[in-house]
Amino acid sequence: MDKIFRVNMTDLTTKIEEVPAAWAGLGGRALTSTIVAAEVPPTCHALSAQNVLCFAPGLLTGTAAANSGRLSAGAKSPLTGGIKESNAGGTAAQMLAKLGIKALIIEGAPKSGTWYNLAVGINGVTINEEKELLGAGNFAVIDAVEQRLGKKTGVLTIGIAGELKMTAANISVKDPDSKIRSHGRGGLGAVMGSKQIKFISIDGEGAKPVTIADPEKFKTAARAFSKALLDHPVSGEGLPTYGTNVLVNILNEAGGLPTRNFTVGQFEGHDKISGETMHDTIAARGGKVKHGCHAGCIIQCSQVYNDKDGKYVTSGFEYETIWGLGADCCIDNLDDIARADNLMDDIGIDSIETAVMFGVAMEAGILNWGDSKEMLRLLTEEIGKGTALGRILGGGAGSVGRTYGVTRVPVVKNQGIPAYDPRSVKGIGVTYATSTMGADHTSGYTIATNILNVGGYVDPLKKDGQVELSRNLQIATAAVDSTGMCIFVAFPALDIPECLPALIDMINARFGIALTGDDVTNLGKHVLKLERKFNQEAGLTNVHDRLPDFFKTEPVAPHNAVWDFTDAELDEFWNF
């Protein structure tokens, strides 16, 4: 039977607990949000001992189900002030699931200045003092842990940003190539830093295959599910070929590619940073144009990007990062953007929040538009060394805007708005405004239907149907995030009739239960309402479910579109 592993950093004790009956049917986001809602006082300081940091694999993680290797991390966010679930690939989720760990919960905070690492194994957690790796970058931490404990060891780690409790700090996860994936959004690296934990190692010794109640039913459903992923033109062709960066040219054509800190919707240099250019560059330099972020990924939208000499620069080179440092900052040098991505991985800072931040920093005059060399210097010499300026930059877009008096600051609930202009793609604007997580495109990815014609079509420039579209996708996403599945399974789920029933059949076969489609929908609704209740008790109200005013007052070219939703229309989102 699965267990809860609990660590108390105040008295430095650990214990293994039975899974409460109410948590037995939960995994991933549903479980992390349930734990945070149950155990964290909503009004507490997110960096205090009262906050908890928890990790939970999904319901299907550890099985042979394709694309099920995602890990959820949860806490109260020091960036948004509300609840946070952040989702990442890598090796940790499947290791935890196969060790029978339903959730790892870290509570309290040390009373002294001593730092620690946690060693997780089948028999529990050991707390060890850590001196050697303080101040080390994430790549060095992974290398050192592998030398200490072996190549197969799983690693969750924070860089200098997390140690200094910067509110844009992330938690990095070792991937199958000993590189990095990230629990990026919401500042959870700062929460781990507040617990004075530099890294968590995972020993897979003694791990067993996840028990399947009905193996034959599971195999049949898993085959149907995999076929749907590979048959869909987005998950089976577009993403494997060009990665998520396939979207640069698509969004530029749609006029929804935010440029120069969201002042226009198209970027003159879009071709130089596009997915097509990235694909050709990777292929010419001997990198990998297809690559999985975890074992069992068959979409393989990741890649390995090398420099002109064929040396590794970065992997998991995502559209949102390339857009943010590219179009939003007017940088068209893909190599410099890749170097910045590598630095952000090593420093341990969210590459979306930091990219949006640099757009605001350029607006503030901290550096010039398009100055990629100064951007690299600021990452290395300021953020990477924790200077006074570096701490301001490491606090994200809102931090820079407040400090420098910038009025065009694209944030919701203090979290940077990524990659899609809500004036030209109105559905994603509804998601940004209403998401319990702050501005988060993955919470309800309306780009699928607004731009890619997946699951039908809703005109991105019109208000009609956008609230309903975002609501339906946010409900579905909350459920998918609980399974351990990659969010990109949504593409075939929206278009291929066999896909969603196969996903539900896999869950039923895994546990020997009989969920229906309505049960899965109701789970998504429950998770959203639970998260909203926490946020309300933390002090966030419907007034926080709004986009910044400049989206209403500044039309964006080329469509001269404005954000024209009323408060009442946005509040209608929660009527379910």
PDB file of all heavy atoms in Angstrom, residues 450-479:
ATOM      1  N   ASN A 450      -8.627  28.367 -29.793  1.00  0.00           N
ATOM      2  CA  ASN A 450      -8.590  29.713 -30.378  1.00  0.00           C
ATOM      3  C   ASN A 450      -7.676  29.792 -31.597  1.00  0.00           C
ATOM      4  O   ASN A 450      -7.952  30.532 -32.542  1.00  0.00           O
ATOM      5  CB  ASN A 450      -8.107  30.744 -29.349  1.00  0.00           C
ATOM      6  CG  ASN A 450      -9.132  31.122 -28.305  1.00  0.00           C
ATOM      7  OD1 ASN A 450      -8.785  31.534 -27.207  1.00  0.00           O
ATOM      8  ND2 ASN A 450     -10.413  31.014 -28.641  1.00  0.00           N
ATOM      9  N   ILE A 451      -6.562  29.069 -31.580  1.00  0.00           N
ATOM     10  CA  ILE A 451      -5.528  29.232 -32.606  1.00  0.00           C
ATOM     11  C   ILE A 451      -5.309  27.968 -33.426  1.00  0.00           C
ATOM     12  O   ILE A 451      -5.147  28.017 -34.646  1.00  0.00           O
ATOM     13  CB  ILE A 451      -4.188  29.664 -31.962  1.00  0.00           C
ATOM     14  CG1 ILE A 451      -4.346  31.005 -31.229  1.00  0.00           C
ATOM     15  CG2 ILE A 451      -3.083  29.743 -33.004  1.00  0.00           C
ATOM     16  CD1 ILE A 451      -4.663  32.190 -32.117  1.00  0.00           C
ATOM     17  N   LEU A 452      -5.294  26.799 -32.776  1.00  0.00           N
ATOM     18  CA  LEU A 452      -4.902  25.560 -33.450  1.00  0.00           C
ATOM     19  C   LEU A 452      -6.083  24.742 -33.968  1.00  0.00           C
ATOM     20  O   LEU A 452      -5.881  23.664 -34.527  1.00  0.00           O
ATOM     21  CB  LEU A 452      -4.053  24.697 -32.500  1.00  0.00           C
ATOM     22  CG  LEU A 452      -2.763  25.354 -31.986  1.00  0.00           C
ATOM     23  CD1 LEU A 452      -2.066  24.439 -30.977  1.00  0.00           C
ATOM     24  CD2 LEU A 452      -1.818  25.692 -33.142  1.00  0.00           C
ATOM     25  N   ASN A 453      -7.317  25.241 -33.743  1.00  0.00           N
ATOM     26  CA  ASN A 453      -8.524  24.547 -34.214  1.00  0.00           C
ATOM     27  C   ASN A 453      -8.645  23.132 -33.646  1.00  0.00           C
ATOM     28  O   ASN A 453      -9.149  22.222 -34.304  1.00  0.00           O
ATOM     29  CB  ASN A 453      -8.565  24.480 -35.746  1.00  0.00           C
ATOM     30  CG  ASN A 453      -8.788  25.840 -36.382  1.00  0.00           C
ATOM     31  OD1 ASN A 453      -8.745  26.858 -35.704  1.00  0.00           O
ATOM     32  ND2 ASN A 453      -9.006  25.868 -37.681  1.00  0.00           N
ATOM     33  N   VAL A 454      -8.162  22.947 -32.430  1.00  0.00           N
ATOM     34  CA  VAL A 454      -8.296  21.662 -31.741  1.00  0.00           C
ATOM     35  C   VAL A 454      -9.529  21.733 -30.843  1.00  0.00           C
ATOM     36  O   VAL A 454      -9.698  22.689 -30.084  1.00  0.00           O
ATOM     37  CB  VAL A 454      -7.035  21.348 -30.910  1.00  0.00           C
ATOM     38  CG1 VAL A 454      -7.247  20.113 -30.056  1.00  0.00           C
ATOM     39  CG2 VAL A 454      -5.824  21.169 -31.817  1.00  0.00           C
ATOM     40  N   GLY A 455     -10.386  20.729 -30.920  1.00  0.00           N
ATOM     41  CA  GLY A 455     -11.619  20.757 -30.128  1.00  0.00           C
ATOM     42  C   GLY A 455     -12.621  21.757 -30.656  1.00  0.00           C
ATOM     43  O   GLY A 455     -13.451  22.265 -29.900  1.00  0.00           O
ATOM     44  N   GLY A 456     -12.561  22.045 -31.970  1.00  0.00           N
ATOM     45  CA  GLY A 456     -13.428  23.052 -32.565  1.00  0.00           C
ATOM     46  C   GLY A 456     -12.696  24.369 -32.764  1.00  0.00           C
ATOM     47  O   GLY A 456     -11.456  24.401 -32.793  1.00  0.00           O
ATOM     48  N   TYR A 457     -13.445  25.433 -32.881  1.00  0.00           N
ATOM     49  CA  TYR A 457     -12.843  26.748 -33.094  1.00  0.00           C
ATOM     50  C   TYR A 457     -13.687  27.811 -32.410  1.00  0.00           C
ATOM     51  O   TYR A 457     -14.911  27.853 -32.567  1.00  0.00           O
ATOM     52  CB  TYR A 457     -12.741  27.061 -34.587  1.00  0.00           C
ATOM     53  CG  TYR A 457     -12.195  28.440 -34.889  1.00  0.00           C
ATOM     54  CD1 TYR A 457     -10.852  28.745 -34.654  1.00  0.00           C
ATOM     55  CD2 TYR A 457     -13.025  29.444 -35.388  1.00  0.00           C
ATOM     56  CE1 TYR A 457     -10.349  30.016 -34.928  1.00  0.00           C
ATOM     57  CE2 TYR A 457     -12.527  30.711 -35.673  1.00  0.00           C
ATOM     58  CZ  TYR A 457     -11.185  30.993 -35.445  1.00  0.00           C
ATOM     59  OH  TYR A 457     -10.691  32.248 -35.699  1.00  0.00           O
ATOM     60  N   VAL A 458     -13.029  28.653 -31.618  1.00  0.00           N
ATOM     61  CA  VAL A 458     -13.654  29.834 -31.029  1.00  0.00           C
ATOM     62  C   VAL A 458     -12.804  31.027 -31.454  1.00  0.00           C
ATOM     63  O   VAL A 458     -11.603  31.061 -31.169  1.00  0.00           O
ATOM     64  CB  VAL A 458     -13.737  29.736 -29.493  1.00  0.00           C
ATOM     65  CG1 VAL A 458     -14.313  31.014 -28.898  1.00  0.00           C
ATOM     66  CG2 VAL A 458     -14.577  28.536 -29.079  1.00  0.00           C
ATOM     67  N   ASP A 459     -13.405  31.972 -32.161  1.00  0.00           N
ATOM     68  CA  ASP A 459     -12.684  33.113 -32.731  1.00  0.00           C
ATOM     69  C   ASP A 459     -11.905  33.853 -31.643  1.00  0.00           C
ATOM     70  O   ASP A 459     -12.503  34.369 -30.700  1.00  0.00           O
ATOM     71  CB  ASP A 459     -13.688  34.068 -33.394  1.00  0.00           C
ATOM     72  CG  ASP A 459     -13.021  35.169 -34.206  1.00  0.00           C
ATOM     73  OD1 ASP A 459     -11.865  35.528 -33.899  1.00  0.00           O
ATOM     74  OD2 ASP A 459     -13.665  35.693 -35.128  1.00  0.00           O
ATOM     75  N   PRO A 460     -10.581  33.908 -31.764  1.00  0.00           N
ATOM     76  CA  PRO A 460      -9.780  34.506 -30.693  1.00  0.00           C
ATOM     77  C   PRO A 460     -10.001  35.988 -30.495  1.00  0.00           C
ATOM     78  O   PRO A 460      -9.709  36.522 -29.422  1.00  0.00           O
ATOM     79  CB  PRO A 460      -8.333  34.237 -31.138  1.00  0.00           C
ATOM     80  CG  PRO A 460      -8.409  34.069 -32.617  1.00  0.00           C
ATOM     81  CD  PRO A 460      -9.734  33.415 -32.867  1.00  0.00           C
ATOM     82  N   LEU A 461     -10.542  36.675 -31.509  1.00  0.00           N
ATOM     83  CA  LEU A 461     -10.720  38.131 -31.424  1.00  0.00           C
ATOM     84  C   LEU A 461     -12.093  38.531 -30.910  1.00  0.00           C
ATOM     85  O   LEU A 461     -12.353  39.716 -30.706  1.00  0.00           O
ATOM     86  CB  LEU A 461     -10.484  38.759 -32.802  1.00  0.00           C
ATOM     87  CG  LEU A 461      -9.037  38.682 -33.306  1.00  0.00           C
ATOM     88  CD1 LEU A 461      -8.966  39.060 -34.769  1.00  0.00           C
ATOM     89  CD2 LEU A 461      -8.125  39.579 -32.469  1.00  0.00           C
ATOM     90  N   LYS A 462     -12.972  37.547 -30.686  1.00  0.00           N
ATOM     91  CA  LYS A 462     -14.313  37.841 -30.192  1.00  0.00           C
ATOM     92  C   LYS A 462     -14.494  37.297 -28.776  1.00  0.00           C
ATOM     93  O   LYS A 462     -13.875  36.316 -28.394  1.00  0.00           O
ATOM     94  CB  LYS A 462     -15.357  37.227 -31.124  1.00  0.00           C
ATOM     95  CG  LYS A 462     -15.356  37.819 -32.526  1.00  0.00           C
ATOM     96  CD  LYS A 462     -16.401  37.157 -33.399  1.00  0.00           C
ATOM     97  CE  LYS A 462     -16.408  37.749 -34.802  1.00  0.00           C
ATOM     98  NZ  LYS A 462     -17.398  37.064 -35.681  1.00  0.00           N
ATOM     99  N   LYS A 463     -15.386  37.942 -28.025  1.00  0.00           N
ATOM    100  CA  LYS A 463     -15.624  37.506 -26.650  1.00  0.00           C
ATOM    101  C   LYS A 463     -16.495  36.246 -26.574  1.00  0.00           C
ATOM    102  O   LYS A 463     -16.440  35.518 -25.588  1.00  0.00           O
ATOM    103  CB  LYS A 463     -16.301  38.622 -25.843  1.00  0.00           C
ATOM    104  CG  LYS A 463     -15.438  39.845 -25.620  1.00  0.00           C
ATOM    105  CD  LYS A 463     -15.948  40.698 -24.471  1.00  0.00           C
ATOM    106  CE  LYS A 463     -17.280  41.330 -24.767  1.00  0.00           C
ATOM    107  NZ  LYS A 463     -17.718  42.220 -23.667  1.00  0.00           N
ATOM    108  N   ASP A 464     -17.284  36.026 -27.608  1.00  0.00           N
ATOM    109  CA  ASP A 464     -18.279  34.955 -27.583  1.00  0.00           C
ATOM    110  C   ASP A 464     -17.652  33.603 -27.265  1.00  0.00           C
ATOM    111  O   ASP A 464     -16.730  33.144 -27.953  1.00  0.00           O
ATOM    112  CB  ASP A 464     -18.987  34.855 -28.932  1.00  0.00           C
ATOM    113  CG  ASP A 464     -19.671  36.150 -29.344  1.00  0.00           C
ATOM    114  OD1 ASP A 464     -19.790  37.048 -28.493  1.00  0.00           O
ATOM    115  OD2 ASP A 464     -20.063  36.260 -30.528  1.00  0.00           O
ATOM    116  N   GLY A 465     -18.155  32.947 -26.236  1.00  0.00           N
ATOM    117  CA  GLY A 465     -17.759  31.590 -25.898  1.00  0.00           C
ATOM    118  C   GLY A 465     -16.447  31.441 -25.159  1.00  0.00           C
ATOM    119  O   GLY A 465     -16.069  30.320 -24.792  1.00  0.00           O
ATOM    120  N   GLN A 466     -15.755  32.552 -24.897  1.00  0.00           N
ATOM    121  CA  GLN A 466     -14.412  32.440 -24.306  1.00  0.00           C
ATOM    122  C   GLN A 466     -14.448  32.028 -22.834  1.00  0.00           C
ATOM    123  O   GLN A 466     -13.601  31.232 -22.390  1.00  0.00           O
ATOM    124  CB  GLN A 466     -13.641  33.756 -24.453  1.00  0.00           C
ATOM    125  CG  GLN A 466     -13.555  34.297 -25.877  1.00  0.00           C
ATOM    126  CD  GLN A 466     -12.654  33.486 -26.791  1.00  0.00           C
ATOM    127  OE1 GLN A 466     -12.120  32.446 -26.410  1.00  0.00           O
ATOM    128  NE2 GLN A 466     -12.479  33.944 -28.023  1.00  0.00           N
ATOM    129  N   VAL A 467     -15.396  32.568 -22.072  1.00  0.00           N
ATOM    130  CA  VAL A 467     -15.475  32.204 -20.649  1.00  0.00           C
ATOM    131  C   VAL A 467     -15.799  30.723 -20.508  1.00  0.00           C
ATOM    132  O   VAL A 467     -15.175  30.001 -19.720  1.00  0.00           O
ATOM    133  CB  VAL A 467     -16.519  33.074 -19.921  1.00  0.00           C
ATOM    134  CG1 VAL A 467     -16.763  32.549 -18.502  1.00  0.00           C
ATOM    135  CG2 VAL A 467     -16.057  34.534 -19.870  1.00  0.00           C
ATOM    136  N   GLU A 468     -16.747  30.250 -21.311  1.00  0.00           N
ATOM    137  CA  GLU A 468     -17.109  28.828 -21.256  1.00  0.00           C
ATOM    138  C   GLU A 468     -15.936  27.957 -21.690  1.00  0.00           C
ATOM    139  O   GLU A 468     -15.658  26.913 -21.081  1.00  0.00           O
ATOM    140  CB  GLU A 468     -18.316  28.575 -22.148  1.00  0.00           C
ATOM    141  CG  GLU A 468     -18.787  27.122 -22.128  1.00  0.00           C
ATOM    142  CD  GLU A 468     -19.961  26.876 -23.048  1.00  0.00           C
ATOM    143  OE1 GLU A 468     -20.240  27.734 -23.918  1.00  0.00           O
ATOM    144  OE2 GLU A 468     -20.595  25.813 -22.923  1.00  0.00           O
ATOM    145  N   LEU A 469     -15.232  28.362 -22.753  1.00  0.00           N
ATOM    146  CA  LEU A 469     -14.076  27.600 -23.229  1.00  0.00           C
ATOM    147  C   LEU A 469     -13.013  27.494 -22.148  1.00  0.00           C
ATOM    148  O   LEU A 469     -12.511  26.399 -21.854  1.00  0.00           O
ATOM    149  CB  LEU A 469     -13.493  28.275 -24.474  1.00  0.00           C
ATOM    150  CG  LEU A 469     -12.189  27.677 -25.017  1.00  0.00           C
ATOM    151  CD1 LEU A 469     -12.409  26.256 -25.523  1.00  0.00           C
ATOM    152  CD2 LEU A 469     -11.631  28.573 -26.134  1.00  0.00           C
ATOM    153  N   SER A 470     -12.649  28.620 -21.541  1.00  0.00           N
ATOM    154  CA  SER A 470     -11.629  28.601 -20.488  1.00  0.00           C
ATOM    155  C   SER A 470     -12.086  27.769 -19.307  1.00  0.00           C
ATOM    156  O   SER A 470     -11.306  26.987 -18.748  1.00  0.00           O
ATOM    157  CB  SER A 470     -11.308  30.027 -20.048  1.00  0.00           C
ATOM    158  OG  SER A 470     -10.369  30.016 -18.988  1.00  0.00           O
ATOM    159  N   ARG A 471     -13.345  27.915 -18.918  1.00  0.00           N
ATOM    160  CA  ARG A 471     -13.876  27.148 -17.775  1.00  0.00           C
ATOM    161  C   ARG A 471     -13.753  25.648 -18.031  1.00  0.00           C
ATOM    162  O   ARG A 471     -13.253  24.898 -17.183  1.00  0.00           O
ATOM    163  CB  ARG A 471     -15.329  27.522 -17.514  1.00  0.00           C
ATOM    164  CG  ARG A 471     -15.942  26.774 -16.324  1.00  0.00           C
ATOM    165  CD  ARG A 471     -17.457  26.887 -16.320  1.00  0.00           C
ATOM    166  NE  ARG A 471     -17.903  28.245 -16.133  1.00  0.00           N
ATOM    167  CZ  ARG A 471     -18.758  28.874 -16.933  1.00  0.00           C
ATOM    168  NH1 ARG A 471     -19.245  28.260 -18.004  1.00  0.00           N
ATOM    169  NH2 ARG A 471     -19.137  30.108 -16.671  1.00  0.00           N
ATOM    170  N   ASN A 472     -14.212  25.210 -19.202  1.00  0.00           N
ATOM    171  CA  ASN A 472     -14.184  23.780 -19.509  1.00  0.00           C
ATOM    172  C   ASN A 472     -12.754  23.245 -19.530  1.00  0.00           C
ATOM    173  O   ASN A 472     -12.476  22.143 -19.031  1.00  0.00           O
ATOM    174  CB  ASN A 472     -14.861  23.524 -20.851  1.00  0.00           C
ATOM    175  CG  ASN A 472     -16.368  23.730 -20.801  1.00  0.00           C
ATOM    176  OD1 ASN A 472     -16.961  23.713 -19.721  1.00  0.00           O
ATOM    177  ND2 ASN A 472     -16.988  23.928 -21.943  1.00  0.00           N
ATOM    178  N   LEU A 473     -11.828  24.033 -20.090  1.00  0.00           N
ATOM    179  CA  LEU A 473     -10.445  23.582 -20.162  1.00  0.00           C
ATOM    180  C   LEU A 473      -9.765  23.622 -18.795  1.00  0.00           C
ATOM    181  O   LEU A 473      -8.941  22.766 -18.487  1.00  0.00           O
ATOM    182  CB  LEU A 473      -9.678  24.430 -21.177  1.00  0.00           C
ATOM    183  CG  LEU A 473     -10.049  24.172 -22.638  1.00  0.00           C
ATOM    184  CD1 LEU A 473      -9.349  25.161 -23.561  1.00  0.00           C
ATOM    185  CD2 LEU A 473      -9.714  22.738 -23.058  1.00  0.00           C
ATOM    186  N   GLN A 474     -10.101  24.605 -17.959  1.00  0.00           N
ATOM    187  CA  GLN A 474      -9.516  24.637 -16.614  1.00  0.00           C
ATOM    188  C   GLN A 474      -9.999  23.457 -15.780  1.00  0.00           C
ATOM    189  O   GLN A 474      -9.229  22.870 -15.008  1.00  0.00           O
ATOM    190  CB  GLN A 474      -9.837  25.963 -15.917  1.00  0.00           C
ATOM    191  CG  GLN A 474      -9.063  27.141 -16.483  1.00  0.00           C
ATOM    192  CD  GLN A 474      -9.094  28.356 -15.562  1.00  0.00           C
ATOM    193  OE1 GLN A 474      -8.780  28.254 -14.376  1.00  0.00           O
ATOM    194  NE2 GLN A 474      -9.463  29.505 -16.111  1.00  0.00           N
ATOM    195  N   ILE A 475     -11.263  23.099 -15.920  1.00  0.00           N
ATOM    196  CA  ILE A 475     -11.785  21.936 -15.198  1.00  0.00           C
ATOM    197  C   ILE A 475     -11.081  20.665 -15.677  1.00  0.00           C
ATOM    198  O   ILE A 475     -10.622  19.842 -14.868  1.00  0.00           O
ATOM    199  CB  ILE A 475     -13.316  21.827 -15.402  1.00  0.00           C
ATOM    200  CG1 ILE A 475     -14.032  22.963 -14.659  1.00  0.00           C
ATOM    201  CG2 ILE A 475     -13.835  20.465 -14.919  1.00  0.00           C
ATOM    202  CD1 ILE A 475     -15.503  23.115 -15.040  1.00  0.00           C
ATOM    203  N   ALA A 476     -10.977  20.516 -16.990  1.00  0.00           N
ATOM    204  CA  ALA A 476     -10.323  19.322 -17.543  1.00  0.00           C
ATOM    205  C   ALA A 476      -8.850  19.258 -17.152  1.00  0.00           C
ATOM    206  O   ALA A 476      -8.328  18.189 -16.818  1.00  0.00           O
ATOM    207  CB  ALA A 476     -10.468  19.318 -19.068  1.00  0.00           C
ATOM    208  N   THR A 477      -8.182  20.412 -17.164  1.00  0.00           N
ATOM    209  CA  THR A 477      -6.759  20.445 -16.835  1.00  0.00           C
ATOM    210  C   THR A 477      -6.514  20.065 -15.387  1.00  0.00           C
ATOM    211  O   THR A 477      -5.553  19.353 -15.074  1.00  0.00           O
ATOM    212  CB  THR A 477      -6.177  21.839 -17.122  1.00  0.00           C
ATOM    213  OG1 THR A 477      -6.344  22.136 -18.514  1.00  0.00           O
ATOM    214  CG2 THR A 477      -4.700  21.904 -16.766  1.00  0.00           C
ATOM    215  N   ALA A 478      -7.356  20.549 -14.481  1.00  0.00           N
ATOM    216  CA  ALA A 478      -7.190  20.193 -13.068  1.00  0.00           C
ATOM    217  C   ALA A 478      -7.273  18.684 -12.882  1.00  0.00           C
ATOM    218  O   ALA A 478      -6.549  18.100 -12.062  1.00  0.00           O
ATOM    219  CB  ALA A 478      -8.252  20.896 -12.219  1.00  0.00           C
ATOM    220  N   ALA A 479      -8.144  18.032 -13.667  1.00  0.00           N
ATOM    221  CA  ALA A 479      -8.251  16.574 -13.592  1.00  0.00           C
ATOM    222  C   ALA A 479      -7.030  15.900 -14.208  1.00  0.00           C
ATOM    223  O   ALA A 479      -6.453  14.972 -13.624  1.00  0.00           O
ATOM    224  CB  ALA A 479      -9.531  16.113 -14.285  1.00  0.00           C
TER     225      ALA A 479
END
